[in-house]
Amino acid sequence: MSSTINSTHYADSPDLALAALRHPPLEQALSAACAELAVRQAYLAALRDPAIGPQPRLLLAVAGADVRVQRRLAALVAELLPDEVELDLIELADDNLSRAVRERCQAFYPA
């Protein structure tokens, strides 16, 4: 089994449960990738979406990453994560999930 980086669409739903996630070694490695790819901001969070399933998902939310940058970032992240870890990558937008990420989580990049 290999690391999986998903580009998942979450429902803009009040049932989403979001928690800030801090993991300094991962944040440090991701910061280098974000700097290389000129991502403006990045957040880590744990997200539970009843529409997808009961288990929380690891979420990397970024701002300033077009589709090409997201693909490159996903490839770099896949190299950093252990095989059993799955991570969902989203571009922050003007929706409830993005607002919740910005309000509840602290951007690890830029620090």
Side-chain angles (χ1 to χ4, degrees):
M1 179 184 263
S2 63
S3 296
T4 307
I5 311 300
N6 298 315
S7 189
T8 302
H9 176 74
Y10 292 99
D12 199 12
S13 160
D15 295 332
L16 295 176
L18 180 77
L21 181 65
R22 298 305 313 236
H23 190 286
L26 180 58
E27 290 172 3
Q28 188 174 23
L30 289 172
S31 290
C34 289
E36 179 182 326
L37 297 172
V39 171
R40 288 193 318 263
Q41 281 186 316
Y43 301 81
L44 279 177
L47 178 72
R48 183 171 288 132
D49 182 353
I52 294 177
Q55 295 301 318
R57 307 285 297 207
L58 179 61
L59 179 68
L60 174 60
V62 298
D66 61 21
V67 173
R68 180 188 59 80
V69 168
Q70 287 180 33
R71 286 185 184 137
R72 290 191 57 211
L73 184 58
L76 289 169
V77 171
E79 294 173 13
L80 298 172
L81 295 175
D83 287 349
E84 63 276 3
V85 175
E86 291 188 18
L87 180 135
D88 293 340
L89 174 65
I90 66 162
E91 171 73 20
L92 292 167
D94 186 25
D95 57 29
N96 287 337
L97 176 59
S98 296
R99 280 189 290 281
V101 167
R102 288 181 177 114
E103 290 170 6
R104 298 181 195 164
C105 302
Q106 178 181 349
F108 69 85
Y109 180 86

